[in-house]
Coordinates of all heavy atoms in Angstrom, one line a residue:
Chain A
V195 N -0.5 -7.8 -10.2 CA 0.5 -7.6 -9.1 C 1.8 -7.2 -9.7 O 2.5 -6.3 -9.3 CB 0.6 -8.8 -8.2 CG1 1.8 -8.6 -7.2 CG2 -0.6 -9.1 -7.5
K196 N 2.1 -7.9 -10.9 CA 3.4 -7.6 -11.5 C 3.4 -6.1 -12.0 O 4.4 -5.4 -12.0 CB 3.7 -8.5 -12.6 CG 4.2 -9.9 -12.1 CD 4.7 -10.7 -13.3 CE 5.4 -12.0 -12.8 NZ 5.4 -13.0 -13.8
D197 N 2.3 -5.7 -12.6 CA 2.2 -4.3 -13.0 C 2.4 -3.4 -11.9 O 3.1 -2.3 -12.0 CB 0.8 -4.0 -13.6 CG 0.7 -4.7 -15.0 OD1 1.7 -5.1 -15.5 OD2 -0.4 -4.7 -15.6
L198 N 1.8 -3.7 -10.7 CA 2.0 -2.9 -9.6 C 3.5 -2.8 -9.2 O 3.9 -1.8 -8.6 CB 1.2 -3.4 -8.4 CG -0.3 -3.0 -8.3 CD1 -0.9 -3.4 -7.0 CD2 -0.4 -1.5 -8.4
G199 N 4.2 -3.9 -9.4 CA 5.6 -4.0 -9.1 C 6.3 -2.8 -9.7 O 7.3 -2.2 -9.1
V200 N 5.9 -2.4 -11.0 CA 6.6 -1.2 -11.6 C 6.3 0.0 -10.8 O 7.3 0.8 -10.6 CB 6.0 -1.1 -13.1 CG1 6.7 0.1 -13.8 CG2 6.2 -2.4 -13.8
E201 N 5.1 0.2 -10.4 CA 4.8 1.4 -9.6 C 5.5 1.4 -8.3 O 6.0 2.4 -7.8 CB 3.3 1.5 -9.3 CG 2.5 1.8 -10.6 CD 1.1 2.2 -10.2 OE1 0.8 2.9 -9.2 OE2 0.2 1.7 -11.0
M202 N 5.7 0.2 -7.7 CA 6.4 0.1 -6.5 C 7.9 0.4 -6.6 O 8.5 1.0 -5.7 CB 6.3 -1.4 -5.9 CG 5.0 -1.7 -5.3 SD 5.1 -3.4 -4.8 CE 3.5 -4.0 -5.1
H203 N 8.4 0.1 -7.8 CA 9.8 0.5 -8.0 C 10.0 2.0 -7.9 O 11.0 2.5 -7.4 CB 10.3 0.0 -9.4 CG 11.0 -1.3 -9.4 ND1 12.1 -1.5 -8.7 CD2 10.6 -2.5 -9.8 CE1 12.5 -2.7 -8.8 NE2 11.6 -3.4 -9.4
R204 N 9.0 2.7 -8.5 CA 9.1 4.2 -8.5 C 9.0 4.7 -7.0 O 9.8 5.6 -6.6 CB 7.9 4.8 -9.2 CG 8.2 4.8 -10.7 CD 7.1 5.5 -11.4 NE 6.8 4.9 -12.7 CZ 5.6 4.5 -13.1 NH1 4.6 4.6 -12.3 NH2 5.5 3.9 -14.2
L205 N 8.2 4.0 -6.3 CA 8.0 4.4 -4.9 C 9.3 4.1 -4.1 O 9.8 4.9 -3.3 CB 6.9 3.6 -4.3 CG 6.3 3.9 -2.9 CD1 5.5 5.2 -3.0 CD2 5.5 2.8 -2.3
A206 N 9.9 2.9 -4.4 CA 11.1 2.4 -3.7 C 12.2 3.4 -4.0 O 13.0 3.7 -3.1 CB 11.4 1.0 -4.2
D207 N 12.3 3.9 -5.2 CA 13.4 4.8 -5.6 C 13.3 6.0 -4.6 O 14.4 6.5 -4.2 CB 13.2 5.3 -7.0 CG 13.7 4.2 -8.0 OD1 14.3 3.2 -7.5 OD2 13.4 4.4 -9.2
V208 N 12.1 6.5 -4.4 CA 12.0 7.7 -3.5 C 12.5 7.3 -2.1 O 13.2 8.0 -1.5 CB 10.6 8.3 -3.5 CG1 10.5 9.5 -2.6 CG2 10.1 8.6 -4.9
F209 N 12.0 6.2 -1.6 CA 12.3 5.8 -0.2 C 13.8 5.6 -0.1 O 14.4 5.9 1.0 CB 11.6 4.6 0.2 CG 10.2 4.9 0.8 CD1 9.1 4.7 0.1 CD2 10.1 5.3 2.1 CE1 7.8 4.9 0.6 CE2 8.9 5.6 2.7 CZ 7.8 5.4 1.9
L210 N 14.4 5.0 -1.1 CA 15.8 4.6 -0.9 C 16.8 5.6 -1.4 O 18.0 5.5 -1.0 CB 16.0 3.2 -1.5 CG 15.2 2.1 -0.9 CD1 15.5 0.8 -1.7 CD2 15.5 1.9 0.5
Q211 N 16.4 6.5 -2.2 CA 17.4 7.4 -2.8 C 17.2 8.9 -2.5 O 18.1 9.7 -2.6 CB 17.5 7.2 -4.3 CG 18.3 6.0 -4.6 CD 18.0 5.4 -6.0 OE1 17.6 6.1 -6.9 NE2 18.3 4.1 -6.1
D212 N 16.0 9.3 -2.1 CA 15.7 10.7 -1.9 C 16.6 11.2 -0.7 O 16.6 10.6 0.3 CB 14.2 10.9 -1.6 CG 13.8 12.3 -1.7 OD1 14.3 13.1 -0.9 OD2 13.1 12.7 -2.6
D213 N 17.2 12.3 -0.9 CA 18.1 12.8 0.1 C 17.4 13.2 1.4 O 17.8 12.9 2.5 CB 18.9 14.0 -0.4 CG 19.9 13.6 -1.4 OD1 20.3 12.4 -1.4 OD2 20.4 14.4 -2.2
S214 N 16.2 13.8 1.2 CA 15.5 14.2 2.4 C 15.0 13.0 3.2 O 14.9 13.0 4.5 CB 14.3 15.1 2.1 OG 13.5 14.5 1.1
V215 N 14.7 11.9 2.5 CA 14.3 10.7 3.3 C 15.5 10.1 4.0 O 15.4 9.7 5.1 CB 13.6 9.7 2.3 CG1 13.3 8.4 3.0 CG2 12.3 10.3 1.7
K216 N 16.5 10.0 3.2 CA 17.8 9.4 3.8 C 18.2 10.2 5.0 O 18.6 9.6 6.0 CB 18.9 9.5 2.8 CG 18.9 8.3 1.8 CD 20.2 8.4 1.0 CE 20.5 7.2 0.3 NZ 21.6 7.4 -0.7
H217 N 18.0 11.5 5.0 CA 18.5 12.3 6.1 C 17.8 11.9 7.4 O 18.3 12.0 8.4 CB 18.2 13.8 5.7 CG 18.5 14.8 6.7 ND1 19.8 15.0 7.1 CD2 17.8 15.5 7.6 CE1 19.9 15.9 8.1 NE2 18.6 16.2 8.4
R218 N 16.5 11.5 7.2 CA 15.8 11.1 8.4 C 16.0 9.7 8.9 O 15.7 9.3 10.0 CB 14.3 11.3 8.2 CG 13.7 12.7 8.1 CD 14.1 13.5 9.3 NE 13.7 13.0 10.6 CZ 12.5 13.2 11.2 NH1 11.6 14.0 10.5 NH2 12.1 12.7 12.3
L219 N 16.6 8.8 8.0 CA 16.6 7.4 8.3 C 18.1 6.9 8.5 O 18.3 6.0 9.3 CB 16.0 6.6 7.2 CG 14.5 6.9 6.9 CD1 14.0 6.0 5.8 CD2 13.7 6.6 8.2
V220 N 19.0 7.3 7.7 CA 20.3 6.7 7.8 C 21.0 7.0 9.1 O 21.0 8.1 9.6 CB 21.2 7.3 6.6 CG1 22.6 6.7 6.8 CG2 20.6 6.9 5.3
G221 N 21.4 5.9 9.7 CA 22.1 6.1 11.0 C 21.3 6.3 12.2 O 21.8 6.5 13.3
V222 N 19.9 6.3 12.0 CA 19.0 6.6 13.1 C 18.6 5.2 13.8 O 18.2 4.3 13.1 CB 17.8 7.4 12.7 CG1 16.8 7.5 13.8 CG2 18.2 8.7 12.1
G223 N 18.8 5.1 15.1 CA 18.4 3.9 15.8 C 19.1 2.7 15.4 O 18.5 1.7 15.0
V224 N 20.4 2.7 15.4 CA 21.2 1.6 15.0 C 21.1 0.5 16.1 O 21.2 0.7 17.2 CB 22.7 2.0 14.8 CG1 23.5 0.8 14.4 CG2 22.8 3.0 13.7
L225 N 20.9 -0.7 15.6 CA 20.8 -1.9 16.4 C 21.8 -2.9 15.8 O 21.6 -3.4 14.7 CB 19.4 -2.5 16.4 CG 19.0 -3.4 17.5 CD1 18.9 -2.6 18.8 CD2 17.6 -3.9 17.2
I226 N 22.9 -3.2 16.5 CA 23.9 -4.1 15.8 C 23.4 -5.5 15.9 O 22.5 -5.8 16.7 CB 25.3 -3.9 16.4 CG1 25.3 -4.2 17.9 CG2 25.9 -2.5 16.1 CD1 26.6 -4.2 18.5
R227 N 24.0 -6.3 15.1 CA 23.6 -7.7 15.0 C 23.4 -8.4 16.3 O 22.4 -9.1 16.6 CB 24.7 -8.4 14.1 CG 24.3 -9.8 13.7 CD 25.6 -10.5 13.1 NE 25.3 -11.9 13.3 CZ 24.9 -12.7 12.3 NH1 24.7 -12.2 11.1 NH2 24.7 -14.0 12.5
D228 N 24.5 -8.3 17.2 CA 24.4 -9.0 18.5 C 23.3 -8.6 19.3 O 22.6 -9.3 20.0 CB 25.7 -8.9 19.2 CG 26.8 -9.6 18.5 OD1 26.5 -10.4 17.6 OD2 28.0 -9.4 18.8
Q229 N 23.1 -7.2 19.4 CA 22.0 -6.7 20.2 C 20.7 -7.2 19.7 O 19.8 -7.6 20.5 CB 22.0 -5.1 20.0 CG 23.0 -4.4 20.9 CD 22.9 -2.9 20.6 OE1 22.5 -2.5 19.6 NE2 23.3 -2.2 21.6
A230 N 20.5 -7.2 18.4 CA 19.2 -7.6 17.8 C 18.9 -9.1 18.1 O 17.8 -9.4 18.5 CB 19.2 -7.4 16.3
A231 N 19.9 -9.9 18.1 CA 19.8 -11.3 18.4 C 19.5 -11.5 19.9 O 18.6 -12.3 20.3 CB 21.0 -12.1 17.9
E232 N 20.3 -10.7 20.7 CA 20.2 -10.9 22.1 C 18.8 -10.4 22.6 O 18.2 -11.1 23.5 CB 21.2 -10.0 22.7 CG 21.8 -10.5 24.0 CD 23.0 -9.6 24.4 OE1 22.7 -8.5 25.0 OE2 24.1 -9.9 24.0
L233 N 18.3 -9.3 22.1 CA 17.0 -8.8 22.5 C 15.8 -9.6 21.9 O 14.7 -9.2 22.2 CB 16.9 -7.3 22.2 CG 17.9 -6.4 22.9 CD1 17.9 -5.1 22.3 CD2 17.5 -6.3 24.4
G234 N 16.1 -10.6 21.2 CA 15.0 -11.4 20.6 C 14.2 -10.7 19.6 O 13.0 -11.0 19.5
C235 N 14.8 -9.9 18.7 CA 14.0 -9.3 17.7 C 13.5 -10.3 16.7 O 14.1 -11.4 16.6 CB 14.9 -8.3 16.9 SG 15.4 -6.9 17.8
V236 N 12.5 -10.0 16.0 CA 12.0 -10.9 14.9 C 11.7 -10.1 13.6 O 11.6 -8.9 13.7 CB 10.7 -11.6 15.4 CG1 10.9 -12.6 16.4 CG2 9.6 -10.6 15.8
G237 N 11.6 -10.8 12.6 CA 11.1 -10.2 11.3 C 12.1 -9.2 10.7 O 13.3 -9.3 10.9
P238 N 11.6 -8.2 10.0 CA 12.4 -7.2 9.3 C 13.4 -6.5 10.3 O 14.5 -6.2 9.9 CB 11.5 -6.2 8.8 CG 10.2 -6.9 8.6 CD 10.2 -7.9 9.7
M239 N 13.0 -6.4 11.5 CA 13.9 -5.8 12.5 C 15.2 -6.6 12.6 O 16.3 -6.0 12.7 CB 13.3 -5.8 13.9 CG 12.4 -4.7 14.2 SD 13.2 -3.2 14.5 CE 13.7 -3.4 16.2
L240 N 15.1 -7.9 12.7 CA 16.2 -8.8 12.9 C 17.0 -8.9 11.6 O 18.2 -8.8 11.6 CB 15.7 -10.2 13.3 CG 16.7 -11.2 13.6 CD1 17.4 -10.8 14.9 CD2 15.9 -12.6 13.9
R241 N 16.3 -9.0 10.5 CA 17.0 -9.1 9.2 C 17.7 -7.9 8.8 O 18.7 -7.9 8.2 CB 16.0 -9.5 8.1 CG 15.3 -10.9 8.4 CD 14.7 -11.4 7.1 NE 13.4 -10.8 6.9 CZ 12.2 -11.2 7.5 NH1 12.3 -12.2 8.3 NH2 11.1 -10.6 7.2
A242 N 17.2 -6.7 9.3 CA 17.9 -5.5 9.0 C 19.2 -5.4 9.7 O 20.1 -4.6 9.3 CB 17.0 -4.3 9.3
S243 N 19.4 -6.2 10.8 CA 20.6 -6.1 11.5 C 21.5 -7.3 11.1 O 22.5 -7.6 11.8 CB 20.3 -6.2 13.0 OG 19.6 -5.1 13.4
G244 N 21.2 -7.9 10.0 CA 22.2 -8.9 9.4 C 21.9 -10.3 9.9 O 22.8 -11.2 9.6
V245 N 20.8 -10.6 10.6 CA 20.6 -12.0 10.9 C 19.6 -12.6 9.9 O 18.5 -12.0 9.7 CB 20.0 -12.1 12.3 CG1 19.8 -13.6 12.7 CG2 20.9 -11.4 13.3

Side-chain angles (χ1 to χ4, degrees):
Chain A
V195 173
K196 280 188 174 160
D197 285 351
L198 276 187
V200 180
E201 289 192 40
M202 285 181 215
H203 265 295
R204 283 186 213 124
L205 192 75
D207 284 348
V208 182
F209 270 104
L210 297 179
Q211 278 158 28
D212 194 293
D213 288 339
S214 55
V215 176
K216 272 186 167 172
H217 180 68
R218 289 305 302 272
L219 298 181
V220 175
V222 175
V224 178
L225 202 65
I226 58 171
R227 188 191 157 99
D228 291 347
Q229 281 176 334
E232 211 172 85
L233 293 167
C235 292
V236 290
M239 276 288 278
L240 185 64
R241 295 196 282 278
S243 296
V245 183

